[in-house]
Amino acid sequence: MEWYNLDTWIVITGALCASACAIPGCFLVLRQMSMMGDAISHAVLPGLAIAFMITGSRSSLSMFVGAAVVGVLTALFSQWISQFGKVDRGASMGIVFTSLFALGLILIVQASNHVELDASCVLYGALELTPLDLWHWEFLGLSFKAPRAACVLTMILVINITVIGIFYKEFKISSFDPALAKTLGIHSGLIHYLLMTMVAITTVAAFEAVGSIIVIAMLVVPAATAYLLTENLVIMMFVSVFFSIAAAILGHISAILVPSWFGLNSTSSSAMIAVMAGCLFLIAWIFAPKQGLLQNYFIKSKSHNKAR
Amino acid sequence: MLLKVLFVSFPFFLQPILGSASDHLGTSFIHFNFKDFLEVISLANYNTRLVILSTSILGIASGSIGSFLLLRKRSLIGDAISHACLPGIGIAFLIMTALGNTGKFLPGLLLGASISGFVGVLVVMAIRNTTKLKDDAAMGIVLSIFFGLGVALLRIITEIPGASAAGLESFIYGKTASIVLYDFWLISLVAILVTVASFILLKEWTLLCFDSGYAATQGWPVYALDLSLLVGITLVTVIGLQSVGLILIIAFLIIPPSAARFWTENLKKMLIISSVLGGLSGWVGATMSALFQNLPAGAVIVLVATTIFIFSMLFGTSRGLLIRFIKHTKLNRKIGRDHLMHSSYEVLEEMAMHENRMINNQKIKRSRLLQRRSWMDTELKSLIHTSKKNGLIERYTDEYILLGEAGFAEAARTTRNHRLWEMYLIEYAEVAPTNVDRGADLVEHVLGADIVRMLESKMKTSPYMYIPNPHSESEGLS
């Protein structure tokens, strides 16, 4: 296996994306809203179409703004439907994202009468291509070169860490005990929308940079893995970041390595990162110290022996 | 600029209107005429007929089985299954190619998709049953990992020399407009199977949805039933995925049942309504897509279903927003009236006690009423006004109100009920809350006459009071 400078950047970008997603992902898992990433990544389509129609350009900034606005709206609408209509939260999410996607599809078909705008090529980045799009920095006379995606994702990661750091107590209490949060004067609704905005921006930024599979996976899987291993929220967040970085490294290596065993070229890195996150989850599921499958099996057989 | 946006974004809403207008102007904005309309409506065109019938049948089937998913709070499982199908397609392609056949043999690919979709469902159940993770996380994990596996696998397959795997993904993730006769028969078969199953197994699946723990204690094979439901879902999802596409089948499984939920509290009725709504959105959406250019059928069907959903959410007769708002307002008004009657009576009682005589109907000072409760001046005013209209209050000024004869009796009744319930709650604190029905006309209607007599004797009676008061003791102390 040959390792290039390119591969290092791919791993770094993947790890940045994964950890930027894993942190809000912890709260999504705790609040039982893990499907939000999937919902948002489907729902942003009309945002892209409308942004394109307004500005008439495919610049990534206007696309990003359009997508992020619709991402927040997705969270808002599904909250409204489940709150006012008393519809199950999963169902209301499904209603909103399918409807928005359909609307986006129609808008794009209408727009493509006039110009080229293909849903799949607008915003869905590819992790392998990120090192090709470089940003140059001049700092104290030194010049740096870094992939644009890595810079964007670093910003997102810093924003996520800062927001969670500032509102840590509020996030924690309103995730575990909304009633207590209310008595303490914490506006649970506001915190909820803050989290949803964070998730929407992270999702949109990440799949504009590196593609959607990795985002959907990283919002759920590392957080769920960490949840199996610990009961402390801070530890859970660190563990999930650790797993997401591990998945990024293992994923890219296996994307190069596994096909080469069969004499084939490398496969999609972001897909393999998702698969590796899954493997890590599987390991945690089986071997988790308190609630792993093995542990449960031993406890069961022990009590069974005792009963005999 | 804004105009341009509106014009570009919503032309399809405007098309019916602009269409007729522009015909008169001699410019054809869209190609719409009555003959085409008749042709589509009467299903004369072979292709249109296939699409409309297939989507309607699929809508009926997914509407019925989706109801159970909604009640199990697992609506998004269709999403998980449809993504989890991808690796199965790749594996099926590999196996068939290895066996020397062409890899793009549709039944084989569908079988592969169904198997991996079903494995995905099993993993969701396993995660949920053996860890503290909930359904949503389990579905998210399965969705993303299986999809990632599928993408990686397909990418590898396309690299294999000799295997023509190009477009394998779009081969299975279909588009509504491209339905062929083969799809139609497949859809019909699965739809009939699933719809019949959901009506035959209605009782069992209902039990599963509402109280699976109870079902297990009664000796029902809960796991087998759960699996049968999920097999049905997987079949519908895979068939729908191949014929109408991912988003539409997810929407079909969620939106019609959610809309039907607003119209009824009865599961059987909900099943029927949901099937009808699913079929209707398929029919209307596919027809609209055939009538107008540039409207992809799948997307239009979803939007028709969404429109039906929004309408149901607003106007549904059982849980709709409007009906709930009306009920809420009515309840509030009744509670407000009861408060007014109760307070008036207590003011009259105080006056009688003060003057050492039996209670009778007199003018009541508004200021004294205002002190009794923490209500706003305007609130009290509107309550008095409505009570005047209902004949409970004979006349009122800014200073006084005077209860009518009916009002005085009503005030006495409300006060008596209120006090008896309070006494009941004091006496029977451990069983009481479930029995209390403050809306009942008379306490005796809910509790037995013996208990009421006993409660009355427990309350401290005073010669001035027509109705004894459980609070009078503590009030005396203060």
Side-chain angles (χ1 to χ4, degrees):
Chain A
M1 191 175 92
E2 288 173 75
W3 192 266
Y4 300 101
N5 199 10
L6 216 69
D7 293 302
T8 316
W9 274 122
I10 290 177
V11 168
I12 290 176
T13 314
L16 282 171
C17 170
S19 33
C21 293
I23 294 172
C26 287
F27 291 97
L28 287 186
V29 168
L30 289 176
R31 289 167 173 244
Q32 303 182 25
M33 302 185 72
S34 309
M35 298 293 272
M36 206 66 216
D38 178 54
I40 288 179
S41 60
H42 283 114
V44 293
L45 202 56
L48 303 181
I50 292 171
F52 175 76
M53 286 167 175
I54 293 176
T55 60
S57 77
R58 267 180 287 184
S59 82
S60 44
L61 185 68
S62 59
M63 289 283 175
F64 174 79
V65 173
V69 168
V70 178
V72 175
L73 284 182
T74 309
L76 205 65
F77 287 155
S78 34
Q79 176 71 14
W80 282 351
I81 290 181
S82 71
Q83 191 179 337
F84 297 122
K86 297 191 176 169
V87 179
D88 168 50
R89 206 156 46 181
S92 60
M93 232 182 256
I95 293 165
V96 172
F97 91 74
T98 52
S99 309
L100 284 175
F101 187 85
L103 185 68
L105 210 60
I106 287 181
L107 290 181
I108 282 182
V109 170
Q110 300 294 326
S112 65
N113 278 353
H114 315 288
V115 268
E116 281 298 310
L117 182 71
D118 182 16
S120 58
C121 77
V122 176
L123 197 78
Y124 301 94
L127 182 56
E128 289 85 351
L129 301 180
T130 49
L132 303 178
D133 183 8
L134 290 174
W135 269 3
H136 295 260
W137 300 80
E138 292 276 346
F139 186 67
L140 295 178
L142 296 165
S143 76
F144 296 98
K145 269 193 243 173
R148 193 182 57 87
C151 303
V152 171
L153 289 168
T154 311
M155 273 191 277
I156 298 288
L157 180 63
V158 170
I159 292 173
N160 283 356
I161 292 175
T162 317
V163 172
I164 300 260
I166 294 172
F167 297 106
Y168 175 71
K169 192 187 78 186
E170 283 82 359
F171 271 114
K172 183 178 176 180
I173 296 175
S174 64
S175 294
F176 287 104
D177 195 342
L180 176 67
K182 204 171 187 180
T183 59
L184 290 176
I186 296 168
H187 201 303
S188 278
L190 222 57
I191 291 293
H192 174 85
Y193 290 126
L194 185 61
L195 177 65
M196 287 301 119
T197 312
M198 229 161 75
V199 170
I201 289 174
T202 309
T203 308
V204 172
F207 76 60
E208 189 256 345
V210 298
S212 62
I213 310 165
I214 183 170
V215 183
I216 302 168
M218 287 305 144
L219 276 174
V220 190
V221 185
T225 314
Y227 189 50
L228 294 181
L229 296 175
T230 174
E231 281 169 0
N232 180 312
L233 182 55
V234 179
I235 296 177
M236 180 178 163
M237 289 202 286
F238 277 107
V239 171
S240 71
V241 168
F242 169 76
F243 275 119
S244 61
I245 294 172
I249 297 168
L250 291 175
H252 185 62
I253 293 175
S254 61
I256 299 172
L257 216 52
V258 174
S260 72
W261 295 339
F262 305 101
L264 298 165
N265 280 332
S266 62
T267 179
S268 154
S269 290
S270 49
M272 283 312 285
I273 291 175
V275 174
M276 280 301 128
C279 291
L280 292 173
F281 174 78
L282 191 66
I283 293 170
W285 187 14
I286 296 172
F287 297 105
K290 271 187 190 161
Q291 38 197 336
L293 287 179
L294 269 184
Q295 190 67 20
N296 280 348
Y297 176 76
F298 281 131
I299 292 170
K300 245 186 210 164
S301 56
K302 230 184 232 171
S303 61
H304 191 69
N305 286 343
K306 237 184 211 171
R308 273 198 299 188
Chain B
M1 187 56 93
L2 186 69
L3 234 163
K4 182 188 159 200
V5 175
L6 274 176
F7 190 70
V8 180
S9 341
F10 301 112
F12 92 95
F13 290 123
L14 298 175
Q15 267 175 8
I17 307 158
L18 286 180
S20 55
S22 53
D23 278 351
H24 293 294
L25 297 172
T27 56
S28 59
F29 180 74
I30 51 153
H31 308 284
F32 178 80
N33 61 46
F34 192 65
K35 201 174 137 235
D36 285 350
F37 181 72
L38 266 188
E39 200 177 294
V40 170
I41 291 290
S42 61
L43 300 179
N45 185 313
Y46 172 78
N47 220 9
T48 319
R49 184 165 60 211
L50 269 188
V51 172
I52 293 181
L53 286 181
S54 306
T55 48
S56 314
I57 292 171
L58 196 66
I60 292 170
S62 44
S64 63
I65 202 160
S67 305
F68 296 105
L69 281 188
L70 180 72
L71 294 174
R72 294 220 73 178
K73 304 202 166 166
R74 275 196 202 153
S75 295
L76 286 174
I77 198 107
D79 195 4
I81 293 174
S82 47
H83 286 90
C85 284
L86 200 57
I89 295 162
I91 293 170
F93 179 85
L94 275 181
I95 291 175
M96 287 191 294
T97 315
L99 291 176
N101 297 319
T102 164
K104 286 183 178 173
F105 178 58
L106 187 60
L109 292 178
L110 285 181
L111 186 70
S114 311
I115 292 174
S116 88
F118 191 64
V119 169
V121 169
L122 290 182
V123 176
V124 169
M125 280 175 71
I127 291 176
R128 202 193 45 143
N129 290 339
T130 61
T131 68
K132 57 182 176 178
L133 292 168
K134 302 288 187 301
D135 267 325
D136 68 301
M139 289 190 287
I141 290 167
V142 166
L143 180 152
S144 53
I145 293 171
F146 275 58
F147 195 66
L149 195 64
V151 170
L153 209 59
L154 286 189
R155 182 73 79 81
I156 293 177
I157 289 171
T158 47
E159 302 269 330
I160 296 176
S164 58
L168 192 58
E169 199 183 328
S170 61
F171 197 58
I172 196 84
Y173 291 96
K175 276 190 179 146
T176 312
S178 56
I179 288 176
V180 292
L181 190 64
Y182 184 76
D183 296 329
F184 174 72
W185 289 121
L186 216 52
I187 289 176
S188 308
L189 185 74
V190 170
I192 291 169
L193 207 73
V194 165
T195 315
V196 169
S198 48
F199 279 92
I200 289 179
L201 291 174
L202 177 67
K203 193 178 79 182
E204 287 80 4
W205 284 353
T206 312
L207 198 56
L208 191 69
C209 292
F210 287 115
D211 199 341
S212 54
Y214 173 74
T217 60
Q218 292 292 303
W220 290 100
V222 175
Y223 276 104
L225 284 174
D226 211 0
L227 282 184
S228 67
L229 181 59
L230 291 170
V231 168
I233 300 287
T234 312
L235 282 180
V236 171
T237 311
V238 172
I239 294 298
L241 204 59
Q242 190 269 322
S243 56
V244 301
L246 181 128
I247 287 294
L248 178 53
I249 191 61
I250 298 173
F252 258 162
L253 283 171
I254 301 177
I255 303 181
S258 308
R261 189 72 187 86
F262 289 110
W263 296 98
T264 176
E265 298 284 340
N266 174 320
L267 182 63
K268 202 171 189 175
K269 280 184 196 158
M270 176 179 158
L271 221 61
I272 294 169
I273 294 173
S274 162
S275 307
V276 170
L277 292 184
L280 190 71
S281 29
W283 189 284
V284 173
T287 307
M288 275 172 71
S289 150
L291 278 176
F292 303 110
Q293 280 190 336
N294 275 331
L295 289 185
V300 182
I301 295 171
V302 174
L303 289 185
V304 169
T306 311
T307 313
I308 293 177
F309 173 81
I310 293 171
F311 181 81
S312 308
M313 181 163 155
L314 292 177
F315 303 110
T317 48
S318 167
R319 304 176 121 206
L321 287 183
L322 191 67
I323 198 90
R324 286 218 323 264
F325 178 74
I326 292 172
K327 275 183 188 163
H328 190 75
T329 317
K330 262 188 187 164
L331 184 69
N332 268 352
R333 207 178 291 155
K334 186 177 177 317
I335 290 173
R337 196 203 62 183
D338 280 4
H339 283 160
L340 178 65
M341 290 297 117
H342 185 187
S343 307
S344 315
Y345 191 85
E346 286 193 335
V347 171
L348 287 175
E349 210 172 56
E350 269 172 25
M351 283 157 61
M353 231 177 350
H354 192 67
E355 293 159 22
N356 212 350
R357 58 171 170 77
M358 286 300 286
I359 187 165
N360 61 355
N361 192 7
Q362 287 187 337
K363 282 181 184 170
I364 302 163
K365 265 191 185 163
R366 237 174 60 100
S367 55
R368 291 191 68 173
L369 274 179
L370 217 52
Q371 285 164 6
R372 302 269 344 158
R373 300 194 69 85
S374 58
W375 42 26
M376 310 263 286
D377 195 40
T378 48
E379 194 186 346
L380 181 60
K381 227 175 227 169
S382 85
L383 277 175
I384 289 172
H385 186 70
T386 16
S387 300
K388 171 83 166 56
K389 265 199 254 166
N390 294 338
L392 293 173
I393 289 177
E394 199 173 287
R395 60 174 190 273
Y396 68 93
T397 63
D398 281 345
E399 314 258 302
Y400 293 99
I401 68 165
L402 179 63
L403 294 178
E405 207 166 305
F408 185 62
E410 175 65 17
R413 185 193 68 82
T414 316
T415 312
R416 176 173 178 275
N417 269 6
H418 183 83
R419 287 183 183 165
L420 280 172
W421 281 127
E422 264 177 9
M423 196 64 213
Y424 182 67
L425 283 168
I426 292 168
E427 283 294 306
Y428 298 94
E430 72 284 8
V431 292
T434 50
N435 291 345
V436 171
D437 177 11
R438 290 191 189 269
D441 281 347
L442 281 174
V443 184
E444 282 88 341
H445 291 175
V446 183
L447 303 178
D450 296 349
I451 297 182
V452 173
R453 209 169 305 129
M454 202 270 291
L455 289 175
E456 274 177 334
S457 71
K458 285 243 177 187
M459 286 193 274
K460 197 181 170 208
T461 43
S462 108
Y464 311 113
M465 287 189 190
Y466 176 59
I467 300 164
N469 185 351
H471 293 301
S472 52
E473 213 164 337
S474 55
E475 272 166 18
L477 282 173
S478 68

